[in-house]
Amino acid sequence: MQQRQITEVKGRLIKSEISTKELVFDLGFSSMSSFSRFFKQYAGVSPSGFKKQH
């Protein structure tokens, strides 16, 4: 289940024109820090680092 979520999140981080903060709450995370921990745990890089790479 997490792999499917992380794949969706990666796609939305790359394609979305809304801010990361808006995306975090749209995805149902309670805070930016909880999202960042989740993302880094499964993607191996922070959300901002991922966006910079793509």
Side-chain angles (χ1 to χ4, degrees):
M1 184 163 164
Q2 279 91 9
Q3 188 60 41
R4 185 178 52 130
Q5 284 179 308
I6 214 63
T7 300
E8 176 188 350
V9 170
K10 284 179 177 180
R12 291 183 70 180
L13 277 171
I14 294 169
K15 298 174 186 171
S16 182
E17 295 195 13
I18 64 172
S19 72
T20 303
K21 186 175 182 178
E22 290 174 297
L23 179 61
V24 166
F25 293 110
D26 186 43
L27 291 169
F29 287 89
S30 60
S31 69
M32 188 71 176
S33 62
S34 64
F35 170 73
S36 292
R37 280 191 305 273
F38 168 82
F39 191 86
K40 190 167 186 173
Q41 180 181 1
Y42 291 100
V45 65
S46 69
S48 60
F50 180 79
K51 282 183 84 167
K52 287 178 186 176
Q53 292 175 352
H54 296 89

